[in-house]
Amino acid sequence: MKTIDLRSDTVTHPTPAMREAMANAAVGDDVYHDDPTVNQLEADAAELLGKEAAVFVASGTQGNLCALLAHCNRGDSIIIGDSSHIFSYEQGGMAQLGGILPHTAPVQPDGSLRICDLESAINPDDEHKPATRLVALENTHNAAGGMPLSAEYTAEVAEFARRNRLIFHIDGARIFNAAAAYGVDVKDLAAGADSVTFCLSKGLCAPAGSILVGSQDFIRRARRARKVLGGSMRQVGVLAAAGSVALHTMRDRLGEDHDNAQLLAEGLSELPGVRIKSQNTNFVFFSLADEVDISLDALLEALRRDYDIFMSIYSGERGLIRLRTHYWINRQAIDKVVAAVSSLLS
Ligand SMILES: *Cc1c(COP(=O)(O)O)cnc(C)c1O
């Protein structure tokens, strides 16, 4: 790709190895559990996360919704971060389709939810109140700027959930980025959680697909939820084949994306007029100083037109540009971006 697309890590195209695996994939009818490539991917994913079973789903949104539908009854309440993806960016699917009521807790700048806030979000056993069923974390935390949550913190939340007989779900869309950031086995970040969703299609580069893991019994119910959501597919081994390449070959290089995000933040921070807001894992946020006389819109337009560089304005906060590094952004691309922004600001 000549274009340098920093809008998201979802813009990643499949790698040549993925395209080859897709062309050669053995397939069967996955609704009959007959697709060997899907079965292998699910078994590998369950083992990698340290859970009994897994189900391949169309997207992270579908994985999270299948999890909530499988864990909760209509009228249940769940405790969830107020800027979490599940609460803010999934159209309230839990309420629309599951009759599940979100009870939000404030997401801290480090992406965590304070245990005291979780405690006070639990409803008493009172017939006026919806029953609190589940608590969910997000790792890395998207709206907190790609903040990774540690295994120690996750264990604290798991202990809180156990103490209060709550189910514990992790939206781990980028959980492998968190594992890379802390240099830990992803199993340690999933330990204590009843279910975890992760995306194959972001930094891992698969063209589509996410995985939901948990116990055998939970996954059986999640498969039922996937069916009613219209997400059961047939010879879907062609997608799972790319997912397997993602799972086996793309995790260990995510640290490069983090290094490139750091280089990008450092390079941009040296330009007069650029204010770096944060850099965590593969995310960089920046704004322009007041004295800069080009608007954000004009800057982005010029980058697109003159340099084939794509960035996007962050919808969550005024005046911020969000950048995400990924497989298709190398060091030379970082240098080009810094040089382009430098010349447009001077
Ligand atoms: C992207 C994302 C999702 C949803 O994944 P889709 O595949 O886009 O539906 C869920 N949670 C988080 C934290 C995400 O970043």
Side-chain angles (χ1 to χ4, degrees):
M1 278 197 277
K2 179 173 148 287
T3 298
I4 299 175
D5 195 343
L6 292 156
R7 288 173 301 167
S8 180
D9 47 12
T10 58
V11 302
T12 44
H13 291 195
T15 63
M18 287 177 189
R19 290 182 186 270
E20 191 182 331
M22 293 172 82
N24 296 320
V27 296
D29 189 332
D30 183 47
V31 180
Y32 294 162
H33 297 249
D34 271 355
D35 190 302
T37 307
V38 174
N39 293 345
Q40 188 66 52
L41 173 63
E42 291 176 344
D44 292 351
E47 157 143 31
L48 198 64
L49 277 281
K51 305 296 176 198
E52 284 175 13
V55 60
F56 183 60
V57 291
S59 65
T61 301
Q62 189 176 68
N64 285 328
L65 186 53
C66 286
L68 297 182
L69 292 177
H71 282 313
C72 301
N73 298 311
R74 294 187 71 82
D76 283 345
S77 168
I78 69 165
I79 307 171
I80 183 117
D82 58 0
S83 63
S84 66
H85 198 280
I86 291 179
F87 180 66
S88 305
Y89 296 102
E90 298 182 11
Q91 231 189 76
M94 70 177 113
Q96 278 203 59
L97 302 174
I100 299 161
L101 191 79
H103 189 136
T104 59
V107 173
Q108 302 304 306
D110 67 357
S112 70
L113 304 175
R114 294 186 308 182
I115 302 292
C116 60
D117 290 328
L118 300 180
E119 299 275 4
S120 57
I122 299 176
N123 286 330
D125 181 12
D126 173 334
E127 69 182 32
H128 295 87
K129 301 282 190 183
T132 306
R133 182 75 59 197
L134 176 147
V135 58
L137 290 181
E138 183 172 316
N139 197 10
T140 62
H141 203 288
N142 191 330
M147 284 298 279
L149 301 176
S150 70
E152 291 72 24
Y153 170 70
T154 307
E156 268 182 62
V157 174
E159 168 52 27
F160 156 84
R162 236 189 337 269
R163 210 164 54 232
N164 293 286
R165 294 195 165 71
L166 298 178
I167 295 159
F168 176 23
H169 174 71
I170 297 176
D171 174 1
R174 295 186 183 79
I175 198 165
F176 295 113
N177 290 90
Y182 283 108
V184 298
D185 189 323
V186 71
K187 272 194 190 83
D188 298 337
L189 297 177
D194 296 291
S195 55
V196 182
T197 308
F198 67 84
C199 291
L200 295 162
S201 61
K202 291 180 175 167
L204 300 185
C205 285
S210 287
I211 299 272
L212 173 61
V213 299
S215 71
Q216 294 277 8
D217 186 51
F218 162 75
I219 291 298
R220 195 182 48 74
R221 285 178 280 123
R223 285 184 71 98
R224 281 188 63 81
R226 184 185 69 169
K227 185 72 185 162
V228 77
L229 295 175
S232 298
M233 294 182 279
R234 303 296 180 175
Q235 286 72 27
V236 71
V238 288
L239 284 181
S244 277
V245 175
L247 200 62
H248 294 298
T249 70
M250 303 299 280
R251 284 180 289 122
D252 289 343
R253 57 152 308 282
L254 290 173
E256 285 174 36
D257 297 341
H258 301 180
D259 292 345
N260 283 335
Q262 195 180 345
L263 278 180
L264 182 58
E266 282 167 6
L268 291 175
S269 74
E270 282 163 16
L271 306 179
V274 172
R275 302 273 178 273
I276 298 294
K277 166 137 193 278
S278 66
Q279 184 268 311
N280 302 293
T281 58
N282 64 324
F283 288 44
V284 178
F285 285 88
F286 77 90
S287 60
L288 297 179
D290 292 339
E291 64 268 20
V292 172
D293 47 34
I294 185 170
S295 70
L296 281 184
D297 285 322
L299 176 67
L300 264 51
E301 171 56 27
L303 284 168
R304 239 190 330 259
R305 191 189 51 230
D306 302 338
Y307 298 93
D308 210 7
I309 293 172
F310 287 71
M311 298 184 178
S312 61
I313 294 191
Y314 180 52
S315 64
E317 190 177 325
R318 264 179 73 87
L320 270 189
I321 293 181
R322 184 191 72 190
L323 310 175
R324 287 183 186 152
T325 56
H326 53 75
Y327 180 76
W328 297 103
I329 304 288
N330 59 20
R331 257 163 199 255
Q332 290 90 299
I334 300 291
D335 293 341
K336 277 190 201 161
V337 171
V338 173
V341 175
S342 175
S343 68
L344 287 169
L345 291 184
S346 62

